[in-house]
Amino acid sequence: MSSKQQTLPADTGPAPASSTASDHPTVQQQLENSLETIGVTHSHRKVLALILLGVLFDVLEQNAVGLVGPLLQEHWGLTPRDVGFLNTLTFAAAALGRLLSGYIADHYGRRVMLTINLALFTLGALICALAPSYWVLGLGRVIVGFGLGGEISIAVTMLAEFCSSRFRGTAVGTINVAGGGLGNMLAPAFGLLVFTLFPGPESWRWVFGLLVMPAFMVLFYRRYIPETPRFLVSQGRIEEANQVLNILASGKLGRPVAQPYPYLHSGPQGQKVERVRLGEIFQGPLAMRTLVTGIAVCMTYGAQLTVLTLMPSLLVEQGYSLVKSYTFTILMQSGSLLGALTASWLGSRLPRKRVFTTGALLACASGLAFGFLSTNIYLVLLFGAAFQFCVLLLNTTIWIFAPELYPTRVRAFGTAFILALGTLAGAFIPTLSGWVLEAHGVAGMFSLMAGMYITFAAVLQLAPETFGRPLDT
């Protein structure tokens, strides 16, 4: 995101006495004009950095079961199905956590949920690190899941609401650069580092334990993140929204502006508080958006979590050592980082549906190539990285797309519902893929995922195009 020098917008000040109601822009129009004028400042970058740190730990936690799975199988005598069930517990709880976070965020604000989510998965990680048995470990994964669930959906919603339409796609896409891209790539390296520094049968505990410490730092610094001006406007809190806009314009996060400029004014009638009806996302024109995007996210999340969960074990079963399996997974995950970066870059340049269609076709081709043409390790790495590129390109664009589908009054819940469906798919599709892998091998598993991406591309043709359009239009 590029910076822009602050200038005071001529069309957001008080209207002349001679103007009519039709001449006067609505508060939503004033807000959009103000965000465009403010551009991107140091405050935006600080908010983005704090959110990205939390998302990075979120993704490391998502990968934790896959990292420790081989060790739990060896030292606790667990089966692959036992390890898969831990993953199911995590992502089923994450789906519920997303829905609850969306409900609270639309009623009480986005800001408070970031802190709650981060605190929950920090507590869950601590329980996992100290777990004396499989079932206590499962309890820890449930608590982690509740925290993980709300983290991404609220982060996506907040960044979409802090930015104008010009910068929104790139800002939201950057979340997955830190998450699905950098986080997924660093996760195997993190596991390898931990197992090197803390060898032995209990080394898996350090994977969870070390994820607790950095989260406390982010938890402390997040108190400086303000509420989004769009949410405040939807609640009729114009004065507070003006204060946030001034903080964004000043570039000094956490420091109230002594004499805030009145970017927004609601006129003599005041700003009407928007009623929150969460069922609205299942009614009228929003219902079709929820349906088709929900189906699409199930397809792409299911494919992503299948690869993340099964890839290390798949490589071990093919005869590679644990160290080599993690190393190869890291190399393949470089495609994830490139995919997330590409999606973030395209977020301000190409229509969403064009990215969806092209990316899905490429995912089909690379997945089938991995399943049928990977005759040596070099082709495994090439096709694996290409598939991961497509997966993160599509997942990141879904994150950009979801909050653009809903008005502010139900945006957090609508976004959370869509991502919760994806999380549920991530909980159960890896199990289905595992059965397909056992019955039909790698080729069968990747054929299944190719079919999922064909479905993804087809259903999203029924969704509206949102590229370049202001929110709440």
Side-chain angles (χ1 to χ4, degrees), residues 106 110 161 274 280 286 289 403-412 471-472:
D106 277 333
R110 288 64 164 118
E161 294 183 348
E274 296 185 19
E280 186 179 352
L286 297 185
R289 302 180 183 192
E404 297 175 339
L405 296 173
Y406 301 102
T408 298
R409 61 184 174 272
V410 292
R411 180 170 298 120
L471 295 177
D472 296 299

Side-chain angles (χ1 to χ4, degrees), residues 307-368:
V307 173
L308 289 176
T309 302
L310 297 180
M311 185 59 73
S313 298
L314 186 153
L315 292 172
V316 169
E317 289 181 5
Q318 290 184 342
Y320 299 106
S321 68
L322 185 61
V323 172
K324 285 187 176 181
S325 297
Y326 281 132
T327 303
F328 294 155
T329 303
I330 293 169
L331 294 174
M332 282 187 276
Q333 289 292 0
S334 63
S336 298
L337 179 58
L338 185 58
L341 284 168
T342 302
S344 181
W345 184 78
L346 293 177
S348 298
R349 291 168 175 82
L350 283 183
R352 314 297 184 224
K353 291 168 71 172
R354 190 181 305 174
V355 177
F356 286 142
T357 302
T358 304
L361 293 176
L362 291 174
C364 288
S366 57
L368 291 173

Side-chain angles (χ1 to χ4, degrees), residues 1-4 35 38-42 44-45 163 167 248:
M1 297 188 296
S2 60
S3 297
K4 185 174 179 180
L35 289 171
I38 292 169
V40 179
T41 69
H42 289 302
H44 284 92
R45 295 190 185 94
C163 298
F167 302 113
L248 293 176

Side-chain angles (χ1 to χ4, degrees), residues 200-330:
E202 300 294 302
S203 59
W204 62 269
R205 296 185 185 275
W206 288 99
V207 172
F208 297 115
L210 292 178
L211 289 173
V212 173
M213 302 307 295
F216 282 116
M217 296 172 59
V218 180
L219 194 63
F220 172 77
Y221 285 112
R222 278 194 179 177
R223 64 180 182 170
Y224 296 111
I225 297 180
E227 185 54 81
T228 72
R230 293 187 189 276
F231 174 78
L232 295 171
V233 167
S234 75
Q235 298 298 300
R237 296 154 61 180
I238 303 302
E239 183 177 345
E240 294 176 63
N242 272 322
Q243 183 63 250
V244 173
L245 288 172
N246 276 270
I247 289 173
L248 293 176
S250 71
K252 298 177 181 178
L253 196 63
R255 299 182 185 179
V257 177
Q259 295 181 326
Y261 179 80
Y263 286 95
L264 312 176
H265 48 87
S266 56
Q269 302 300 319
Q271 171 66 12
K272 182 179 179 181
V273 177
E274 296 185 19
R275 182 186 174 193
V276 179
R277 293 185 301 107
L278 301 183
E280 186 179 352
I281 71 170
F282 308 113
Q283 300 169 357
L286 297 185
M288 179 58 73
R289 302 180 183 192
T290 302
L291 175 63
V292 300
T293 312
I295 293 172
V297 80
C298 285
M299 299 297 102
T300 188
Y301 264 53
Q304 180 187 18
L305 269 298
T306 292
V307 173
L308 289 176
T309 302
L310 297 180
M311 185 59 73
S313 298
L314 186 153
L315 292 172
V316 169
E317 289 181 5
Q318 290 184 342
Y320 299 106
S321 68
L322 185 61
V323 172
K324 285 187 176 181
S325 297
Y326 281 132
T327 303
F328 294 155
T329 303
I330 293 169

Side-chain angles (χ1 to χ4, degrees), residues 408-433:
T408 298
R409 61 184 174 272
V410 292
R411 180 170 298 120
F413 184 72
T415 302
F417 182 80
I418 287 176
L419 298 187
L421 290 177
T423 303
L424 284 175
F428 296 104
I429 288 181
T431 302
L432 171 64
S433 300

Side-chain angles (χ1 to χ4, degrees), residues 153-177:
S153 57
I154 299 304
V156 165
T157 301
M158 287 192 79
L159 278 183
E161 294 183 348
F162 272 124
C163 298
S164 65
S165 58
R166 185 158 32 135
F167 302 113
R168 186 175 64 234
T170 297
V172 176
T174 305
I175 297 177
N176 218 20
V177 174

